[in-house]
Amino acid sequence: MTAIPLSPRRQRLSNFSNAYAVACQLRETTGADQFVVRTGNPIQPFRVSRDIPDNTETILALVA
């Protein structure tokens, strides 16, 4: 599989701090607990979900 080069903007935006900030905003807005997870996908290295992640992802934070 060929690696996809990331744009400098994506590299700046795709980080734990931004994912955590989104999780905090969603927690405040929805009242639901939010997980910040590492995906292993270079295009989307972090994501936020209110569902428990599957075994291929690593929980980095729980915003409760």
Side-chain angles (χ1 to χ4, degrees):
M1 183 172 181
T2 304
I4 300 169
L6 301 180
S7 72
R9 182 169 179 90
R10 180 176 290 277
Q11 289 175 340
R12 282 193 309 275
L13 294 175
S14 297
N15 60 51
F16 173 81
S17 296
N18 285 342
Y20 187 79
V22 168
C24 291
Q25 292 170 359
L26 286 171
R27 171 67 172 118
E28 186 174 316
T29 302
T30 67
D33 294 349
Q34 302 292 324
F35 293 95
V36 178
V37 298
R38 177 181 292 125
T39 66
N41 179 346
I43 300 296
Q44 184 185 19
F46 304 98
R47 73 178 183 88
V48 175
S49 175
R50 66 180 187 177
D51 299 321
I52 296 173
D54 62 30
N55 292 336
T56 63
E57 299 174 321
T58 304
I59 298 173
L60 300 176
L62 169 61
V63 179

